[in-house]
Amino acid sequence: MEKQFVDLLSEELKLQEAVSGEHTRHMNITFAEAKRVASQYQREAEKCNAATETCEEARERAEAFLSKERKVTALWEQRARKMGWEGE
């Protein structure tokens, strides 16, 4: 009877080890996949940040160019008015 009990305990321990091993394997696979996806999202975020910086720089250049154009337009309009032009 005692041998049966020891055998049952031994069998239970083997099953628990098997379940634990499978759980650890599944956890490692899930963790590796999560790291891969996180890395992919990080790369995409870096691309997005770079594109945003490029767009922001282009917007700043366009804004500066527009400001210069408005000044030139105002200067020409002022000259035209001095010469008798009446705008809308």
Side-chain angles (χ1 to χ4, degrees):
M1 174 107 172
E2 194 172 312
K3 175 147 177 26
Q4 266 186 327
F5 183 70
V6 170
D7 287 344
L8 285 173
L9 284 177
S10 179
E11 182 70 22
E12 178 68 21
L13 283 174
K14 286 179 186 176
L15 286 173
Q16 285 182 3
E17 285 177 2
V19 168
S20 176
E22 183 62 25
H23 177 71
T24 300
R25 187 181 78 74
H26 177 72
M27 185 180 63
N28 287 339
I29 289 170
T30 303
F31 182 68
E33 178 66 10
K35 281 175 56 176
R36 184 189 69 75
V37 170
S39 178
Q40 179 180 350
Y41 282 131
Q42 181 65 35
R43 285 192 304 274
E44 291 299 320
E46 288 169 0
K47 285 181 194 176
C48 184
N49 287 340
T52 300
E53 286 179 21
T54 300
C55 288
E56 183 62 21
E57 290 169 2
R59 185 197 61 76
E60 288 172 358
R61 286 192 306 272
E63 195 174 81
F65 179 75
L66 180 61
S67 177
K68 288 179 186 175
E69 285 297 312
R70 284 183 175 155
K71 287 177 185 176
V72 169
T73 300
L75 179 66
W76 280 106
E77 186 176 338
Q78 184 181 29
R79 289 179 182 169
R81 289 187 189 279
K82 283 183 181 176
M83 298 180 85
W85 178 75
E86 293 180 15
E88 297 172 25

